[in-house]
Amino acid sequence: MKMTIHGKQLVITEAIKNYAETKLGKVEKYHDGIIELAINLSALKLKTGNCHTAEVLAYLGGSTVKASCTDADLYAAIDGVADILEGQLKKHKDKIRTAIQSREPMIRKVKYNPETNTVEKEAAVNVVKVYLPPKPMDVEEAILQLEILNKTFFPFTNAETGEMNVVYKRKDGDYGHIAPAKK
């Protein structure tokens, strides 16, 4: 697993680097697909005191998990972001395991009833800093990424068409899919 540490308005000393590598290196046991951890540490001086922020982006081979924590102490912020990232990686691994086991698409299924001329929902599945992922993916995988990143929309390259698409979470809890119109 590759690990990069950057500081913003903060000099990354050897002690800070070693502490972050040790603490965040332990999250690898919660998800075996981690390719890289990008760690950003920053410091701000406020009137009320110092404010340290630790942000981590975990790249998981087509998926990205983000965690951040802010605290007055830099080491406490690193501890906090490690705990948050641990929980998110466990959740991501469970979602993938569940999706693989069920093998059902995560989009809503609808059925048209010609007698009443209505559309009925068969299954109510809760499908709910955005980068365009380098790996093309299908709509179901993009919706999974949307959930994992806890965002309202997620742009992606559609594996079937090769074009940029967007999935988004609607206010009613459903999911929308935006694709370019066919000419």
Side-chain angles (χ1 to χ4, degrees), residues 76-122:
I78 293 171
D79 291 343
V81 79
D83 293 340
I84 292 168
L85 185 63
E86 173 187 326
Q88 288 181 341
L89 289 172
K90 287 179 183 177
K91 182 178 174 183
H92 180 267
K93 194 170 185 177
D94 288 342
K95 280 188 176 186
I96 290 175
R97 185 180 305 122
T98 303
I100 289 172
Q101 288 173 352
S102 69
R103 292 288 182 192
E104 293 180 17
M106 294 186 70
I107 58 176
R108 287 193 187 270
K109 298 177 185 177
V110 293
K111 180 174 70 174
Y112 175 70
N113 187 345
E115 294 174 3
T116 61
N117 198 23
T118 59
V119 175
E120 300 170 359
K121 295 177 183 173
E122 284 184 0

Side-chain angles (χ1 to χ4, degrees), residues 21-32:
E21 286 176 348
T22 303
K23 194 70 176 176
L24 292 166
K26 294 177 183 177
V27 301
E28 189 172 22
K29 66 183 175 185
Y30 298 107
H31 199 292
D32 54 351

